[in-house]
Amino acid sequence: RWEWRGPDGRDYDIYDFPFADADGSPLIMEVGLDITELKQAAAGLQAERQRLYEVLETLPAMICLLTQDHHVAFANKSFREKFGEAHDRPCYEYRFGLSQPCPFCESHEVLKTGQPRVWQVNAPDGSIIAAHDFPFTDVDGTPMVLEMFLDVTEQRRAEQQARSAAEYARSLGLPVEIVSDFP
């Protein structure tokens, strides 16, 4: 099997099959399939994947694509700055130093349910991370998890301070109304 660009400028996938003629002499049957459109489509898919990665790379949120076996297929700059490089290790190993999937992790639930999921995790550095997980299908049909992490540490601290202030005010007999809670 080999590929060939014909004089017509089109690409062909060539298959050669040896066989014996009726008199026993060796012959080769050659079949060429025009794969020009297939190669153009593959190049287009690769270009779209690259465009997606370039957009994700620039976002300030920590974003990664997780495979079914817990490997990070893509991590944007913000994610790498927070967690480092995966170096082909499963996410639970390089992010948390564990030898098996994290017992608290809810990321892969979206592969079971097909529905987005939001959950929270306390990172080893003390930060509080809101994880937003979405079912994602790669261009080749592979199911993955698109995960977006937002550091909500300061937001959670502000919420706790507001609750503490409200409790203190109530303890003094002052009327307190909390207008809104952050999601």
Side-chain angles (χ1 to χ4, degrees), residues 99-161:
S99 59
Q100 54 189 337
C102 304
F104 56 83
C105 183
E106 299 179 24
S107 297
H108 283 75
E109 287 298 311
V110 301
L111 295 176
K112 297 173 189 170
T113 65
Q115 298 297 313
R117 185 177 193 87
V118 179
W119 57 286
Q120 184 172 293
V121 64
N122 296 324
D125 66 0
S127 59
I128 303 167
I129 305 295
H132 297 257
D133 296 322
F134 304 91
F136 183 85
T137 303
D138 202 5
V139 293
D140 65 0
T142 304
M144 300 175 91
V145 177
L146 172 62
E147 190 161 52
M148 179 176 69
F149 292 134
L150 299 173
D151 188 333
V152 294
T153 309
E154 294 306 315
Q155 178 181 334
R156 295 297 184 255
R157 285 184 185 146
E159 290 169 356
Q160 182 56 45
Q161 288 174 346

Side-chain angles (χ1 to χ4, degrees), residues 7-173:
D8 59 358
R10 299 188 66 79
D11 295 310
Y12 295 89
D13 199 2
I14 308 295
Y15 294 85
D16 292 329
F17 302 96
F19 71 99
D21 197 3
D23 66 2
S25 57
L27 294 173
I28 296 175
M29 178 176 68
E30 189 168 85
V31 176
L33 303 172
D34 187 338
I35 59 169
T36 306
E37 284 82 14
L38 181 64
K39 287 184 84 166
Q40 289 169 347
L45 285 174
Q46 183 57 36
E48 284 302 307
R49 176 184 279 164
Q50 185 59 39
R51 194 168 75 110
L52 170 66
Y53 286 174
E54 287 170 2
V55 168
L56 295 177
E57 183 70 17
T58 63
L59 296 176
M62 297 167 274
I63 298 174
C64 70
L65 287 171
L66 293 175
T67 63
Q68 289 178 312
D69 66 352
H70 301 272
H71 282 81
V72 176
F74 169 83
N76 75 345
K77 180 181 176 185
S78 296
F79 188 94
R80 293 189 311 271
E81 287 174 351
K82 177 76 171 180
F83 298 107
E85 296 288 341
H87 300 294
D88 201 36
R89 293 176 293 167
C91 58
Y92 51 82
E93 182 182 316
Y94 90 91
R95 284 172 34 197
F96 299 106
L98 301 174
S99 59
Q100 54 189 337
C102 304
F104 56 83
C105 183
E106 299 179 24
S107 297
H108 283 75
E109 287 298 311
V110 301
L111 295 176
K112 297 173 189 170
T113 65
Q115 298 297 313
R117 185 177 193 87
V118 179
W119 57 286
Q120 184 172 293
V121 64
N122 296 324
D125 66 0
S127 59
I128 303 167
I129 305 295
H132 297 257
D133 296 322
F134 304 91
F136 183 85
T137 303
D138 202 5
V139 293
D140 65 0
T142 304
M144 300 175 91
V145 177
L146 172 62
E147 190 161 52
M148 179 176 69
F149 292 134
L150 299 173
D151 188 333
V152 294
T153 309
E154 294 306 315
Q155 178 181 334
R156 295 297 184 255
R157 285 184 185 146
E159 290 169 356
Q160 182 56 45
Q161 288 174 346
R163 282 191 290 277
S164 295
E167 287 174 23
Y168 178 70
R170 284 187 190 108
S171 74
L172 296 176

